[in-house]
Each structure stands twice: as C-alpha cells, then as structure tokens.
Amino acid sequence: MAEVLLENLTKCYGSVVAVNRVNLLINDREFFTILGPSGAGKTTVLRLIAGFEKPDEGVIYFDGENVTDLQPFKRRIKMVFQDFALWPHMQVYNRDRYSNLNFGLRIRKWLTEEIEQKVSEVVQRVGIKKELFSRRPGELSEGEKQRVAIGRAITTTPRVFLMDDPMTNLDPQSKLKVRKEIRKLHQDLETTTIYVTHNIPDAMAMSDRIAVMRDGIFEQINTPKNIFQFPKNEFVRDFFESAKVAFEI
Ligand code: ADP
Ligand code: MG
C-alpha cells in the first residue's frame, strides 16, 4: 500500500560499509526481492526501511513522505525476522492473556471480542491449527513458527511488509507450498512486500522484480526473467549459474 523510495542510502558499522549509497524505487503493491550472498547488506537495508537502524546518509520516502526520522511503529510496517523473533515465553494464542498472536492488538487496546475475530481470520488465512494455540514457540516446527510469525505480522495490515529470509529452515517440499502462500498473501493484503533472501529459486518464483546485492550495492535491478537471461556482469552471471543448473533438472 505504499511506494518506497530509497535515496542515496548509506549505513556503516565502523569501517564496514554495509549499505553504500543505494538508490531504489519500489512500486506500490510490488513484490520486490533483495537477493544476494551472506554479508551483502540485505538485512541492513530492511532494518533501515523498518526504522530499526538510522542511516548515516540518505533519505527514505513512503508515498513521497520522508520517513527517515520516524519511529518504526509510526511507519506502519511489519517485519518477519529471519529467526521469527516470537515471544518464547508466550503461547501462540490465548484470548485471556498476552500471547504471540494477540500481543500487538492488546497493547493497542482492542476489545477481546474484536481480537478473537481478527485472530480467527488470520489463523485461517495463514493456516495455523487450533491445536497449536496453547504451545510455546519452542514446541513448534520451523514451518509452524513461520506461520505464527507471519500471522502475527498481519493482524493489522502493514503499509509495507518486510520479510527477512523466512524460509531458510524449511524443507524443499514445504518451500514450494509456502512460496505460493506468501505470494497469495501479498496479493490478498494488497501491500508492498520487500523480501530478502540468498535463495535464487525462491526469488525467481515469487518476485515482480529483484535487486541483486553485493558488498552494499545493487549490481542489477530488473525482473527475474530479465536478470536470469541478461546478467549485467560477471558477478550476477556466476551467482545465477547455480540456479540455472537447478532449473534444467
Ligand atoms: P546480509 O543480510 O546480506 O547477510 P547484513 O546486512 O546482515 O548482510 O550485513 C552487512 C555487513 O554489515 C556485514 O559485513 C555485517 O558483518 C555488517 N553488520 C551488520 N550488522 C552489523 C552490526 N550490528 N554491527 C557491526 N556490523 C554489522
Ligand atoms: Mg541477513
């Protein structure tokens, strides 16, 4: 539900330039993926967009509004973290207590009945079974944790939905299904999704456009098909070689 513009965005940690003068326009309702090897700066870009980090330089706009100095909660973004960041001591859902699925709504002072209604909508949408409600994150599989993390993120519809490699620990069979589900969720929510991964087939399967990132810069930004067929340089070509093999099987 928002166009995201990054202008000259830079973030350093000591002598490491994690994000180096990056420019990017992500369209409203686009499924945009930042793809690259570990250490490229992908998570840092997401954290800057979310507002968890302050840039050293540069400006972030949502629909033309400068949000660079806005607190994360004022940006109306939601982020699904790589490790899901569920509350370990809380149950998946308990209508009478703070739990993973109702926490955000309770602190916003929603009524219990409204929350109940919203949670039942969300668990249906992301496929969380009622039997899991009383469990704590330590008692869930990776796939179940992922669903709870996504469910928690969409109890209120975010303007921008940020996902940091939420499929890293899923087995290949689940992956195929989850890719479709994430893509459908993106469409149903009518939101702008920015997805981060090092996994080329995931990026190819879900994205409208991809930015290939390395050492703090975007090497190439285009549609999956276009990057795959016309890699702009040796790095992008080599990076995509491994995926080509997988596609040919
Ligand atoms: P990616 O998500 O692509 O793996 P990151 O954005 O996590 O990459 O990291 C980019 C670079 O910034 C790496 O060199 C990493 O070590 C460094 N970095 C990230 N976060 C911090 C931090 N909090 N403190 C110091 N260095 C960091
Ligand atoms: Mg990362």
Side-chain angles (χ1 to χ4, degrees), residues 42-43 82 164 196:
K42 309 181 296 294
T43 297
Q82 195 159 23
D164 193 352
V196 154

Side-chain angles (χ1 to χ4, degrees), residues 178-208:
V178 172
R179 274 185 202 157
K180 284 202 189 109
E181 289 172 356
I182 289 177
R183 182 70 213 190
K184 181 167 188 306
L185 187 66
H186 162 80
Q187 246 130 16
D188 292 350
L189 292 176
E190 300 185 332
T191 187
T192 305
T193 300
I194 310 177
Y195 191 93
V196 154
T197 186
H198 63 272
N199 186 288
I200 298 164
D202 288 349
M204 299 283 293
M206 292 190 294
S207 318
D208 296 318

Side-chain angles (χ1 to χ4, degrees), residues 124-215:
Q124 203 172 359
R125 181 172 256 176
V126 300
I128 302 169
K129 297 192 201 86
K130 283 211 166 66
E131 300 91 91
L132 301 182
F133 283 1
S134 62
R135 294 201 202 165
R136 290 183 171 72
E139 301 159 334
L140 301 174
S141 73
E142 287 304 308
E144 289 162 351
K145 277 187 223 167
Q146 186 215 39
R147 286 169 198 278
V148 175
I150 293 174
R152 183 180 61 175
I154 62 165
T155 51
T156 53
T157 304
R159 200 147 63 134
V160 182
F161 193 22
L162 306 168
M163 303 182 91
D164 193 352
D165 235 342
M167 285 201 266
T168 316
N169 298 316
L170 295 188
D171 58 85
Q173 282 86 352
S174 314
K175 261 191 169 206
L176 293 178
K177 196 163 155 240
V178 172
R179 274 185 202 157
K180 284 202 189 109
E181 289 172 356
I182 289 177
R183 182 70 213 190
K184 181 167 188 306
L185 187 66
H186 162 80
Q187 246 130 16
D188 292 350
L189 292 176
E190 300 185 332
T191 187
T192 305
T193 300
I194 310 177
Y195 191 93
V196 154
T197 186
H198 63 272
N199 186 288
I200 298 164
D202 288 349
M204 299 283 293
M206 292 190 294
S207 318
D208 296 318
R209 282 190 306 153
I210 295 172
V212 181
M213 192 172 192
R214 173 176 65 153
D215 292 344

Side-chain angles (χ1 to χ4, degrees), residues 39-91:
K42 309 181 296 294
T43 297
T44 307
V45 173
L46 273 201
R47 293 178 59 83
L48 288 165
I49 295 171
F52 301 128
E53 299 279 359
K54 281 229 143 228
D56 294 306
E57 258 184 67
V59 188
I60 301 166
Y61 298 94
F62 288 0
D63 281 334
E65 178 200 357
N66 183 342
V67 299
T68 319
D69 294 320
L70 276 192
Q71 296 289 323
F73 71 94
K74 289 204 174 149
R75 297 190 187 192
R76 292 198 287 122
I77 55 94
K78 283 291 169 58
M79 183 153 164
V80 174
F81 295 87
Q82 195 159 23
D83 62 0
F84 306 130
L86 296 171
W87 302 101
H89 58 291
M90 286 184 200
Q91 291 173 317

